[in-house]
């Protein structure tokens, strides 16, 4: 079946450094790739998304890149801060089933 | 104003009992979902409703029965609870089936 793979499962970076989380997807018809952030005790919240007609999108310290040929997309966080500590999920639609499936999540910790 | 609200936030119960979780969204969205998040943080879709009509049922045991009295509400009833049902259940809504998901804060179910 269709799936989304996410790596790494945990990531620890020094405050101020960059963090990169990578995902691959299998449905070649997917055209929308969101990233969600889940803070402790809360529901996931969309932080950035990208559609297949662009290769990169930035919003302040976060950016997402997409390689449709390789079916890869990545989340980049620069100048990390303590409030960036959370679990991050990538996701992609399964076009044949009208649903979005999630990667397995990355627990990001920012070391002071 | 809470966009997607679910109750109760915590639920502790014995095996074999029946329990319900309620969800309401005030975003005017047409589609609502139930997701299950296990202890490893995997987020899996269980059900999706569009305008009160069931559109996705992800091979969930029939002990789980969703009900949507109107497009702003989606409740989840679980019969004969088992230990493996312990998880956090998230309600979500979206305007289109593969668009941005808005999640509630989750309902943590513990089955003893």
């Amino acid at each position: 079946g269709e799936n989304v793979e996410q790596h790494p499962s945990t990531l620890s970076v020094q405050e101020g450094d960059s963090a990169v989380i990578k995902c691959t997807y299998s449905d070649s018809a997917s055209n929308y790739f969101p990233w969600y952030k889940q803070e402790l005790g809360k529901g996931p919240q969309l932080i950035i998304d990208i559609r297949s007609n662009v290769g990169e999108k930035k919003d302040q310290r976060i950016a997402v890149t997409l390689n449709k040929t390789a079916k890869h997309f990545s989340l980049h966080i620069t100048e990390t801060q303590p409030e960036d500590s959370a679990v991050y999920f990538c996701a992609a639609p399964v076009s044949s089933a009208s649903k979005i499936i999630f990667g397995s999540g990355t627990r990001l910790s920012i070391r002071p | 104003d809470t966009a997607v609200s679910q109750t109760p936030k915590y639920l502790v119960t014995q095996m074999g009992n029946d329990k319900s979780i309620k969800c309401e969204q005030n975003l005017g969205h047409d589609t609502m979902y139930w997701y299950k998040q296990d202890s490893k943080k995997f987020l899996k879709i269980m059900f999706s409703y569009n305008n009160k009509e069931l559109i996705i049922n992800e091979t969930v045991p029939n002990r789980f029965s969703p009900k949507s009295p109107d497009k702003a509400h989606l409740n989840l009833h679980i019969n004969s609870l088992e230990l493996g049902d312990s998880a956090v259940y998230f309600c979500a809504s979206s305007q289109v089936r593969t668009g941005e998901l808005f999640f509630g804060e989750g309902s943590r179910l513990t089955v003893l």
Side-chain angles (χ1 to χ4, degrees):
Chain A
E2 308 294 356
N3 71 321
V4 176
E5 292 191 5
Q6 181 172 346
H7 301 279
S9 56
T10 60
L11 180 59
S12 177
V13 302
Q14 193 77 32
E15 184 177 348
D17 288 350
S18 295
V20 181
I21 303 170
K22 298 183 178 184
C23 286
T24 59
Y25 61 97
S26 57
D27 183 357
S28 55
S30 292
N31 60 1
Y32 171 66
F33 305 94
W35 284 90
Y36 286 80
K37 176 183 181 182
Q38 185 178 20
E39 296 178 343
L40 196 61
K42 302 224 179 245
Q45 187 168 17
L46 181 75
I47 55 170
I48 194 167
D49 56 20
I50 191 168
R51 296 200 178 266
S52 58
N53 56 345
V54 297
E56 184 175 4
K57 182 177 176 181
K58 282 185 181 178
D59 183 2
Q60 298 182 355
R61 294 186 299 107
I62 60 173
V64 56
T65 58
L66 172 64
N67 182 330
K68 278 223 82 178
T69 304
K71 295 184 192 171
H72 289 169
F73 59 114
S74 300
L75 177 72
H76 304 253
I77 307 174
T78 58
E79 300 171 27
T80 51
Q81 298 171 8
E83 55 265 33
D84 295 330
S85 293
V87 179
Y88 292 81
F89 293 93
C90 62
V94 177
S95 51
S96 60
S98 296
K99 65 181 180 182
I100 286 183
I101 57 173
F102 285 81
S104 51
T106 297
R107 185 178 297 277
L108 174 63
S109 301
I110 308 301
R111 302 191 303 271
Chain B
D1 281 347
T2 305
V4 181
S5 59
Q6 48 183 116
T7 55
K9 194 170 172 66
Y10 300 98
L11 201 49
V12 180
T13 189
Q14 299 286 334
M15 273 176 53
N17 285 349
D18 304 338
K19 289 294 177 187
S20 292
I21 307 172
K22 295 187 175 183
C23 179
E24 175 181 4
Q25 55 97 2
N26 63 5
L27 297 166
H29 290 164
D30 290 334
T31 307
M32 295 186 71
Y33 312 80
W34 280 109
Y35 279 83
K36 180 180 180 181
Q37 186 171 49
D38 63 21
S39 57
K40 294 185 178 178
K41 297 293 187 184
F42 294 135
L43 261 174
K44 295 205 73 173
I45 189 167
M46 300 173 68
F47 301 103
S48 171
Y49 270 74
N50 180 261
N51 275 322
K52 304 192 296 176
E53 186 179 334
L54 180 68
I55 55 173
I56 294 174
N57 181 340
E58 287 287 303
T59 59
V60 177
N62 57 15
R63 298 182 294 105
F64 290 78
S65 51
K67 280 194 174 46
S68 181
D70 55 61
K71 73 174 193 176
H73 295 83
L74 180 62
N75 304 322
L76 183 66
H77 188 75
I78 316 170
N79 289 328
S80 305
L81 279 157
E82 299 177 357
L83 293 176
D85 298 332
S86 295
V88 181
Y89 292 85
F90 285 99
C91 177
S93 71
S94 68
Q95 184 53 36
V96 295
R97 292 183 197 180
T98 53
E100 179 180 357
L101 293 165
F102 290 79
F103 285 87
E105 300 238 307
S107 297
R108 181 177 293 277
L109 171 65
T110 303
V111 182
L112 302 175

